[in-house]
Amino acid sequence: MQAFCKLNGLVAPLDRSNIDTDAIIPKQFLKSIKRTGFGPNLFDEWRYLDHGEIGMDCSKRPLNPAFVLNQPRYQGAQILLTRENFGCGSSREHAPWALLDFGFRVVIAPSFADIFANNCFKNGILPVVLPAEDVARLFAEVAATPGYRLHVDLEKQQVTTPGGEVFRFAVDAFSKKCLLQGLDDISLTLEHVDEIKAFEARRKLEEPWLFGSSRR
Amino acid sequence: MSAKTLYDKLWDRHVVHCDDDGTCLLYIDRHLVHEVTSPQAFEGLRLAGRQLWRSDANIAVPDHNVPTTDRREGISDPLSRIQVETLDANCTDYGITEFAMNDIRQGIVHIIGPEQGVTLPGMTIVCGDSHTSTHGALGCLAFGIGTSEVEHVLATQCIIQKKARNMLVSVDGQVGHGITSKDITLAIIGKIGTAGGTGYVVEYGGDAIRTLSVEGRMTVCNMSIEAGARAGLIAVDAKTIDYVKGRPYAPRGDLWDKAKTFWQTLQSDPDAHYDRVVHLDAASIRPQVSWGTSPEMVVAVDGCVPDPAMEPDHVKREGMQAALTYMGLVANTPITEIYPETIFIGSCTNARIEDLRAAAAVVKGHKLAANIKRALVVPGSGLVKQQAESEGLDKVFKQAGFEWREPGCSMCLGMNEDRLSPQERCASTSNRNFEGRQGQGGRTHLVSPAMAAAAAIVGHFVDVRTLEV
């Protein structure tokens, strides 16, 4: 996993609450058996005027000029600013894969769906939860200031505005460590291999019906 | 020893290791695998040169991509076919039991788990699918995970997680005649919102929940994720035990007796503490119909499409306005004046035998209304289909003009050919009315099987309780 420490990035605003993972990456793109290449289809139904299918050359498709990510001032954005309950719905990890492939490394919102936030941490994307009123102020600043950038520092757990205003955010210690160091959590878990085996042996005694897959 | 909730008990029994900050390794008893969220996980396992931890904990089934029409020719969409073939190959390579596409036991992963006894009380169950919450109806801790976590479970039989908070949703008293578990769950989501359960594991309790059949409880737990909760669960009672008994993968003989004795302890302690408690009055729940593009946008069938102008919060107001535009609806329209043209009866929410019986009871002796262009019944599994056919339900549906299909996820998400066209309006027994969920531009109204059936024969939404059936 790509590590995340700090980022000074252009901010793109997506002013809508309850954005679900079907909107982030529609179902037809879930037929890929790869982890990469989802970026051109991020927000596909909002971003293009035609109907997207897997394998299309997206550079030749008609863009929806009204969609915020298509506006020239937000090209190259690495920070997505959005509203409540971002990433709700399906557990598809294709959603953070698409965000990452597009270039986003940080998503700032008042709240995230649990599975989505978890999936972000596994893919080098930092979900930042800020109070709704702070997010509302950031939306106003982004709208008023072309080229608006934020500085996000995971180590210090803070977001700094161009004016020097600092917002603190919470992140759990384990996710922070993994993200800062780009750690593979399977390797970390396998450090506990003896504990898992001992637990499993105990479980086999206590609930033996949970072991062995053959039909009885 | 302080009093514990059912979630506390299930959690405590599965913690392998816990760090000071509360990050735990949780042991997983059962891992359900389907074709869409697993290929990258198996690939990751191979690339890292890792072994599968425990093959017998895994059960696989293709469901999202499979055609629901004649399968003798296989899957025509090459991408869908590759995904299903990749699952078949991975299961062969790793020695994982799979109910392949033409196996009578094939079906939607969340239907076949309980049906086969692969889902048992007291288990931890995960699957790369958010509707894994369904299985909590049997008194287990079940939640959806992403593909990285699928790989983690394959490699370690554990997941890394912090404990969620406890929430109790108590549906007090009894629902009125003709009110179903789908109406209960939509009413809950309408009350607490799509983020109301975020950060919680929800236990459903109250007399109305106890009265539900185990299948009805599955519908309620299924849509926990639509309320933001990763997991929903219901305490074990005699109905749970009866449901599990004799299932192919359930224990038998002495093991059954031992298991049963343990399962009977799987309830919350009477004075257990919940971080949040929500009460609903069961008697006040009426048949529900969603009007918008989020499951919380739901009203009773005798209500009207709400008016954004009455909403003080500007983000919510704009969300409502966008939903009305997408849905092609005008504020203050009575729900009974909305005319679907498509009916979908199916999905992990509502494709069990009881759901098909409820829909068939309404449909029997009637024809589809003139404005209904197509109506699908997609049973949740091959065995549900077989059971329905033995009861003659297929004939009831076909005589009314419905199509009787092969099992799978189908039009719930339209990964196969079963999709809505732009602006096509559908009465659906599925779980999500998101933009584009059932097909780009498609307009979904979430309802119970009985309500979908009523709309099919009347041509518009109608309180099913007013029909003579």
Side-chain angles (χ1 to χ4, degrees):
Chain A
M1 180 179 77
Q2 211 179 333
F4 182 96
C5 299
K6 56 182 75 167
L7 172 74
N8 186 285
L10 185 68
V11 182
L14 193 50
D15 194 358
R16 209 170 155 152
S17 54
N18 292 317
I19 292 177
D20 57 78
T21 53
D22 275 82
I24 297 172
I25 184 84
K27 86 277 291 179
Q28 61 268 38
F29 306 107
L30 271 50
K31 294 185 186 187
S32 167
I33 58 171
K34 302 285 173 209
R35 280 176 196 260
T36 52
F38 295 99
N41 302 111
L42 176 71
F43 300 117
D44 197 275
E45 290 186 9
W46 294 341
R47 204 163 138 201
Y48 301 98
L49 294 171
D50 64 345
H51 174 69
E53 283 294 341
I54 198 165
M56 286 168 86
D57 179 355
C58 291
S59 67
K60 295 188 173 128
R61 296 175 58 198
L63 292 172
N64 174 7
F67 184 56
V68 68
L69 293 186
N70 288 332
Q71 293 173 17
R73 65 182 283 193
Y74 299 121
Q75 297 313 300
Q78 291 177 288
I79 300 172
L80 186 66
L81 180 68
T82 186
R83 300 283 186 179
E84 285 85 0
N85 201 26
F86 186 77
C88 60
S90 155
S91 62
R92 59 189 69 169
E93 200 161 313
H94 311 67
W97 293 339
L99 287 162
L100 186 69
D101 201 47
F102 183 89
F104 286 118
R105 296 301 308 280
V106 175
V107 185
I108 300 174
S111 60
F112 292 90
D114 287 338
I115 303 177
F116 173 81
N118 206 42
N119 285 341
C120 282
F121 280 115
K122 309 282 183 194
N123 287 281
I125 297 176
L126 175 64
V128 173
V129 176
L130 293 181
E133 35 312 350
D134 292 341
V135 168
R137 275 173 51 213
L138 289 175
F139 265 102
E141 291 193 16
V142 171
T145 322
Y148 188 87
R149 299 174 82 86
L150 285 171
H151 185 76
V152 180
D153 188 325
L154 175 56
E155 179 64 52
K156 293 183 181 160
Q157 295 180 216
Q158 59 189 35
V159 174
T160 310
T161 68
E165 197 176 358
V166 174
F167 299 99
R168 298 271 305 163
F169 62 87
V171 59
D172 80 82
F174 179 79
S175 300
K176 180 177 177 178
K177 182 177 98 172
C178 288
L179 209 45
L180 281 172
Q181 300 177 36
L183 295 176
D184 165 14
D185 59 10
I186 297 180
S187 302
L188 294 177
T189 297
L190 288 173
E191 289 173 10
H192 298 283
V193 64
D194 292 338
E195 264 177 287
I196 301 171
K197 282 185 173 165
F199 179 92
E200 200 165 49
R202 207 161 59 238
R203 196 146 179 75
K204 230 175 212 170
L205 290 176
E206 288 174 3
E207 294 177 52
W209 55 87
L210 298 177
F211 293 82
S213 74
S214 60
R215 292 178 70 172
R216 295 174 178 89
Chain B
M1 192 77 166
S2 58
K4 288 180 175 183
T5 65
L6 175 55
Y7 171 51
D8 295 336
K9 293 179 187 182
L10 293 170
W11 175 271
D12 289 350
R13 282 187 75 86
H14 290 87
V15 173
V16 174
H17 175 90
C18 202
D19 283 340
D20 294 340
D21 75 337
T23 303
C24 293
L25 270 184
L26 199 67
Y27 188 81
I28 300 304
D29 295 314
R30 179 69 74 203
H31 182 205
L32 302 167
V33 181
H34 69 75
E35 78 277 20
V36 179
T37 55
S38 68
Q40 297 88 349
F42 283 109
E43 184 194 35
L45 207 60
R46 277 194 193 91
L47 289 174
R50 291 185 175 121
Q51 304 296 310
L52 174 65
W53 184 278
R54 211 189 117 196
S55 61
D56 69 329
N58 297 272
I59 296 275
V61 68
D63 57 2
H64 285 61
N65 270 290
V66 296
T68 57
T69 47
D70 189 353
R71 291 175 176 174
R72 282 172 295 188
E73 300 296 318
I75 304 175
S76 59
D77 175 352
L79 293 166
S80 293
R81 190 174 66 237
I82 288 170
Q83 212 164 43
V84 171
E85 286 172 354
T86 302
L87 179 68
D88 295 345
N90 282 326
C91 289
T92 304
D93 290 354
Y94 287 97
I96 292 171
T97 301
E98 183 196 14
F99 304 140
M101 188 173 76
N102 289 319
D103 190 312
I104 185 75
R105 298 168 295 176
Q106 181 268 340
I108 306 171
V109 64
H110 308 307
I111 302 245
I112 67 154
E115 183 176 81
Q116 288 293 321
V118 157
T119 300
L120 296 172
M123 278 181 159
T124 44
I125 302 180
V126 295
C127 174
D129 193 292
S130 58
H131 288 111
T132 308
S133 57
T134 311
H135 307 263
L138 288 151
C140 45
L141 177 59
F143 45 86
I145 56 177
T147 296
S148 293
E149 289 180 306
V150 169
E151 184 179 338
H152 194 280
V153 174
L154 291 172
T156 70
Q157 209 53 47
C158 295
I159 70 158
I160 300 168
Q161 200 170 86
K162 276 188 150 177
K163 196 176 174 199
R165 288 173 291 173
N166 279 290
M167 178 166 169
L168 175 67
V169 173
S170 181
V171 187
D172 305 325
Q174 298 295 348
V175 294
H177 177 70
I179 299 300
T180 70
S181 55
K182 184 65 163 286
D183 301 310
I184 294 176
T185 190
L186 286 172
I188 291 168
I189 295 162
K191 182 177 170 99
I192 71 174
T194 50
T198 303
Y200 294 95
V201 164
V202 175
E203 178 175 347
Y204 299 95
D207 289 344
I209 298 293
R210 299 254 66 88
T211 303
L212 288 176
S213 69
V214 173
E215 292 198 353
R217 294 174 187 180
M218 288 183 211
T219 301
V220 173
C221 287
N222 172 274
M223 288 190 69
S224 300
I225 187 68
E226 273 64 55
R230 250 183 143 171
L233 40 79
I234 293 174
V236 170
D237 61 11
K239 285 184 189 174
T240 323
I241 306 283
D242 287 347
Y243 178 91
V244 173
K245 191 168 190 182
R247 305 252 162 208
Y249 285 80
R252 295 181 191 283
D254 291 347
L255 272 185
W256 168 261
D257 295 335
K258 194 175 174 199
K260 184 179 154 185
T261 305
F262 167 60
W263 295 340
Q264 283 167 336
T265 67
L266 295 175
Q267 294 101 21
S268 293
D269 295 330
D271 47 352
H273 171 74
Y274 294 90
D275 303 289
R276 187 179 173 197
V277 178
V278 174
H279 288 276
L280 269 83
D281 171 24
S284 70
I285 298 174
R286 287 163 289 163
Q288 304 284 303
V289 181
S290 76
W291 57 269
T293 55
S294 167
E296 70 186 18
M297 294 174 167
V298 66
V299 290
V301 65
D302 57 356
C304 291
V305 174
D307 189 346
M310 307 300 284
E311 171 58 55
D313 181 274
H314 91 96
V315 176
K316 279 190 187 154
R317 188 166 60 241
E318 284 165 21
M320 289 169 74
Q321 193 55 59
L324 289 187
T325 304
Y326 180 86
M327 294 295 289
L329 292 173
V330 176
N332 302 312
T333 304
I335 296 296
T336 51
E337 290 176 17
I338 298 173
Y339 290 75
E341 52 199 317
T342 300
I343 308 294
F344 173 63
I345 296 174
S347 87
C348 57
T349 311
N350 280 132
R352 286 169 283 269
I353 190 67
E354 289 178 9
D355 299 314
L356 303 191
R357 286 177 189 145
V362 176
V363 165
K364 191 168 188 176
H366 297 278
K367 295 278 183 201
L368 293 179
N371 58 303
I372 304 296
K373 295 198 180 76
R374 59 175 169 159
L376 306 185
V377 184
V378 184
S381 73
L383 291 169
V384 168
K385 180 168 183 265
Q386 192 176 55
Q387 176 64 30
E389 287 171 356
S390 78
E391 297 176 19
L393 305 185
D394 58 324
K395 291 192 183 66
V396 170
F397 286 117
K398 284 191 275 195
Q399 280 161 6
F402 281 82
E403 297 175 49
W404 180 250
R405 297 291 193 91
E406 298 296 325
C409 299
S410 181
M411 201 186 271
C412 174
L413 86 167
M415 273 194 78
N416 68 354
E417 295 76 10
D418 308 336
R419 292 186 192 178
L420 295 182
S421 303
Q423 289 156 35
E424 188 176 348
R425 189 178 298 286
C426 181
S428 178
T429 67
S430 57
N431 41 58
R432 290 187 174 136
N433 51 352
F434 298 154
E435 283 186 22
R437 170 76 178 182
Q438 294 192 287
Q440 190 181 27
R443 294 164 171 170
T444 303
H445 295 274
L446 303 174
V447 287
S448 73
M451 284 288 287
I457 59 173
V458 175
H460 56 81
F461 291 110
V462 61
D463 187 336
V464 64
R465 299 172 300 174
T466 64
L467 302 182
E468 284 183 27
V469 294

